[in-house]
Amino acid sequence: MAEKNTLLALYQQLAQRSQLEEDLQALRTQQASQAEALKELEQKKQSEQADVDRLEGRSLKAFFYNATGKMEEKLAQERREATAARSHYESARWELAQTEGELLRVQGELERLDACQVEFDQALQAKAEALKAAGTPVGLQILRQEEELAGLSNRSKELQEAIDAGQPALDTLEEVLTSLDSAQGWGQWDLLGGGILADVFKYDALDKAQEQVARLQDQLCAFQQELADVAMKIDLSFTMDGGLRLVDSFLDNLFTDWAVLDKISNSLSQVQQTETQLEALLAGLRAQKQEADTKHQALRQAWTDLVLGAQP
């Protein structure tokens, strides 16, 4: 009974800790908003006081109101506005101080409860081991749930590894698209008589794209290996044909320029298709990981409830 009471007490502390973490986040948001408002009110206060100081001094404004006989009326108005600005500033400063004090209190409570998660996990696991060792139906159910939890954890881990391997390939595809788009632009300019300069920039962009494609091939290969762990297979590989470069350089005429531009256009289309495929695949992997994580969270809660409620 003492063990059960200890577990329940720790469980309640965890629930309290979860609520305190939500409170802490809300207080931090409130603190940031109040601090920003206080800064604006301080500027307002200083501005209103500056208006009073100018009227009380030897400013051109003071001379004008003295000359028109409206000094007392204007000065009284500016002093009222300065007083109101100070009042708003002090009120906001007090509210910020209250929020900061509450924030410190909540942080202190969280620090006090920091160890309860470890203690609860250890006590819960110890009880689960005892129930499994007893060979009761509840113990067998706990064992089956733990095996399922391990499977979901492994699934989530492998999916994340596949996502981590696929994202660099997607980033490189963006670079390839940028280079090919630049090459296409210079190729079109070359058709209009851009001359040697257009050729230089066109092939510089193509060389860059070729280097990026070589890197992309390695990244796609690594991605394929990670996909094998999650029982998926795709074909996302391509090469760029640079065979027309020598011909275009030596026989610079309309026909070879068109041929190179056509090659660039085909490569662009292929890269765009590959990018679309890869984006869809990564989105699917993220959805599967989210599903696995959600199932794991629900099953973990069911396991916790089962162990908590079971009689030793």
Side-chain angles (χ1 to χ4, degrees), residues 86-129:
R86 280 196 304 272
S87 176
H88 292 153
Y89 170 79
E90 292 300 330
S91 177
R93 189 172 69 165
W94 181 85
E95 290 175 0
L96 177 59
Q98 293 297 110
T99 298
E100 290 175 340
E102 181 64 8
L103 201 154
L104 288 174
R105 185 193 69 77
V106 171
Q107 286 176 327
E109 285 292 303
L110 280 171
E111 289 174 5
R112 183 179 65 81
L113 295 172
D114 269 348
C116 70
Q117 181 70 64
V118 175
E119 292 178 26
F120 175 77
D121 289 343
Q122 290 175 345
L124 195 67
Q125 192 61 51
K127 183 179 179 182
E129 294 301 325

Side-chain angles (χ1 to χ4, degrees), residues 43-288:
Q43 293 173 348
K44 176 71 172 175
K45 181 192 71 167
Q46 292 173 347
S47 175
E48 295 294 349
Q49 185 57 48
D51 288 343
V52 173
D53 293 341
R54 279 192 291 271
L55 284 178
E56 291 179 339
R58 296 185 176 182
S59 65
L60 184 60
K61 195 173 183 180
F63 175 80
F64 171 79
Y65 282 110
N66 273 317
T68 58
K70 295 183 178 181
M71 171 59 84
E72 292 302 323
E73 178 185 348
K74 185 61 177 176
L75 187 56
Q77 178 189 342
E78 295 293 353
R79 284 172 176 167
R80 285 194 302 271
E81 291 175 357
T83 299
R86 280 196 304 272
S87 176
H88 292 153
Y89 170 79
E90 292 300 330
S91 177
R93 189 172 69 165
W94 181 85
E95 290 175 0
L96 177 59
Q98 293 297 110
T99 298
E100 290 175 340
E102 181 64 8
L103 201 154
L104 288 174
R105 185 193 69 77
V106 171
Q107 286 176 327
E109 285 292 303
L110 280 171
E111 289 174 5
R112 183 179 65 81
L113 295 172
D114 269 348
C116 70
Q117 181 70 64
V118 175
E119 292 178 26
F120 175 77
D121 289 343
Q122 290 175 345
L124 195 67
Q125 192 61 51
K127 183 179 179 182
E129 294 301 325
L131 289 166
K132 288 186 292 183
T136 62
V138 172
L140 293 175
Q141 187 178 355
I142 290 170
L143 181 60
R144 285 194 296 270
Q145 287 182 339
E146 287 179 350
E147 290 172 349
E148 190 175 350
L149 281 168
L152 287 168
S153 292
N154 187 58
R155 175 72 173 171
S156 178
K157 176 176 175 291
E158 289 175 345
L159 285 166
Q160 186 59 56
E161 288 174 351
I163 292 167
D164 291 342
Q167 187 59 50
L170 186 60
D171 295 340
T172 300
L173 275 168
E174 286 289 340
E175 295 177 18
V176 176
L177 281 173
T178 299
S179 297
L180 288 177
D181 188 60
S182 174
Q184 186 179 56
W186 285 110
Q188 291 168 343
W189 177 244
D190 197 15
L191 283 175
L192 297 174
I196 188 64
L197 187 62
D199 264 347
V200 169
F201 284 115
K202 176 175 65 178
Y203 285 118
D204 179 66
L206 285 173
D207 286 343
K208 188 179 295 184
Q210 191 67 63
E211 292 172 3
Q212 292 160 346
V213 166
R215 171 161 37 100
L216 177 63
Q217 297 285 15
D218 292 338
Q219 291 170 333
L220 289 175
C221 181
F223 186 38
Q224 289 274 21
Q225 292 173 352
E226 293 297 339
L227 286 176
D229 292 338
V230 291
M232 295 180 69
K233 184 178 180 182
I234 57 166
D235 183 16
L236 290 176
S237 62
F238 63 92
T239 57
M240 290 175 56
D241 183 3
L244 288 184
R245 175 169 182 174
L246 188 63
V247 176
D248 187 38
S249 297
F250 280 94
L251 303 174
D252 192 9
N253 59 59
L254 186 62
F255 298 104
T256 52
D257 285 344
W258 268 113
V260 172
L261 191 59
D262 187 56
K263 289 282 187 180
I264 295 172
S265 179
N266 289 337
S267 294
L268 258 173
S269 177
Q270 192 176 0
V271 173
Q272 288 166 345
Q273 291 174 9
T274 303
E275 181 186 42
T276 300
Q277 288 178 276
L278 188 53
E279 285 176 338
L281 183 57
L282 284 172
L285 289 170
R286 291 190 177 97
Q288 289 184 50

